[in-house]
Amino acid sequence: MNYSNPIIPGFYPDPSICRVQDDYYLVTSTFEYFPGVPIFHSKDLVHWHKIGHVLTSTEQLSLGNAWRSGGIYAPTLRYHEGCFYMATTNVSSGGNFYVRSEQAEGPWSRPVYVAQDGIDPSLLFDEDGRVYFQSACNGQDGEGIYQCEIDISTGHKLSESRLIWKGTGGAAPEAPHLYKINGFYYLMIAEGGTEYGHMETIARSDAPYGPYVPCPHNPILSNRSLKSSIHAVGHADLVQIQDGSWWAVCLGIRPPAYPMRHHLGRETFLASVTWTPDGWPMIGENGRLHAVMDSPNLPEFKWPAPVSLDHFDQPALGLDWIHLRNPAPNSVSLHESPGHLTLYGNSSSLDDGKNPAFVGRRLSHFCCSIAAMLDFEPAYENEEAGLTVYMNEKYHYDLAVKRIQGEKKWIWRRIVGSLRLEEVLDCNCGDGPVTLHVGADPDQFTFSIKHELSDIYSLGSAETHLLSSEVAGGFTGIIVAMYAYSPAEAPTPARFDWFNYEPAPQD
């Protein structure tokens, strides 16, 4: 049987995986979004479903100072003696830390900080009971992978941090993962930057601090300079399955056209691992990753299909919903108007790089239809609420209801760097809800709005590639969100009756 990559589409980068008997668990980065670090469950490595988030409180995840593509970087997930451990970096507050839980769904502990600089931390629980902590750091001996031994109960360092490998010479040696396999310590890292030259390399030693000997076949994974639908693969993690074979998860991107620009973000991919006669791993087909590959030797296990339409009739938001940074107090309610998501805007707008009233989900398909019903009668000048197709504060497209010079208007706004285009339409249908619609295909988004007493107003289209990482920068992907803004002390509630995300059948 075959499977199709990516196994988790959309903005789910930097995957890390662990196995517990017949179950597999996986986490990814979240950067400036809250809650942090989604955790997925699978039985067959191919089909995954989200079971929760690791970082769900402000104490665990403070994002007040998070710049765009700041916040949470590359997590590592490990399981040891009945306990899960997730190590990560909050680059905007606190640095490297880990949390633990006896259940993958949580609850997870308070952060345990480790006084080692750098990013992308990882853990190795050695057979003799020692625990080694690695991170990518530009330290006193130069840029590379540094390691110390820690007390896992407290996070205290039991040794000084030491440089153990600089990589093979590629830019940005990072994402270290250390494994003990057949008596060797294998140190696998990403090099080349998380861009089109991205690659995975590996070295090994008979001692945890080295010296590490590079694999003669490096890189063991890279799609650089290939004619492929998948690029920038790397940042991998290994897992051994029940039949003894090894597999890797990694990130990659899918530019939909040439010139290559990707807007869905870095996604999670899967590939098999083979071992050379001299004991070195190779990921994929001779170090290459493809869109269709042979499935693992595991029984197929599919989860129920996700529900596309959310009526907001549950006591809590579903697991696909995220906020931009820590949500402002009292900005989001599911209880005030039952069957609605109510947003109260604050003085933070989508352009500020702060925490507006914002509830969104990842754009995970090139082709899809997105719609929401909004009931909003702005009482104060410049109050607005609507839908945004959001990459960051300098790159987003908005469709909204707004009060302008004392009148309710419909607006369609495109912000691309220093360029700002805004079209204003008279709202001649009176009060009552409107349906906001965004259609997506690989090249463009289309925008329309409809009042129950009006025809559909088609407002036009905007290019997807202008919200790509190659144009907008950063490490995230597009989020489609409901939002509200208000300069008033007592903001007008924006009530969303439903939200629908419908992938196209061919996507």
Side-chain angles (χ1 to χ4, degrees), residues 298-449:
L298 293 169
E300 185 179 61
F301 191 99
K302 293 184 177 181
W303 304 98
V307 176
S308 62
L309 181 62
D310 194 335
H311 283 287
F312 303 117
D313 53 5
Q314 300 300 309
L317 286 170
L319 296 177
D320 282 338
W321 296 113
I322 54 177
H323 307 279
L324 183 57
R325 304 179 179 87
N326 303 112
N330 304 315
S331 62
V332 180
S333 175
L334 287 171
H335 309 294
E336 179 184 302
S337 179
H340 295 79
L341 171 67
T342 302
L343 298 183
Y344 282 95
N346 56 54
S347 59
S348 296
S349 76
L350 296 174
D351 306 336
D352 293 339
K354 296 181 181 178
N355 61 337
F358 180 108
V359 177
R361 59 150 295 157
R362 294 159 174 84
L363 183 71
S364 297
H365 302 82
F366 289 119
C367 299
C368 60
S369 175
I370 303 154
M373 179 174 280
L374 168 65
D375 191 356
F376 181 57
E377 305 299 332
Y380 302 98
E381 190 70 10
N382 293 324
E383 278 193 318
E384 70 174 77
L387 286 181
T388 181
V389 180
Y390 185 89
M391 186 59 160
N392 58 48
E393 69 268 21
K394 294 184 179 295
Y395 292 84
H396 54 93
Y397 303 144
D398 313 321
L399 180 61
V401 175
K402 183 176 182 178
R403 188 174 181 88
I404 301 175
Q405 296 180 351
E407 296 183 353
K408 186 170 77 170
K409 302 287 186 179
W410 296 341
I411 64 165
W412 177 40
R413 181 190 301 120
R414 286 146 290 169
I415 295 179
V416 180
S418 62
L419 302 178
R420 184 184 184 99
L421 300 174
E422 186 169 292
E423 299 186 23
V424 179
L425 288 80
D426 290 327
C427 179
N428 299 318
C429 303
D431 295 345
V434 294
T435 299
L436 309 171
H437 180 265
V438 179
D441 67 35
D443 300 318
Q444 65 180 5
F445 299 106
T446 58
F447 299 84
S448 62
I449 189 169

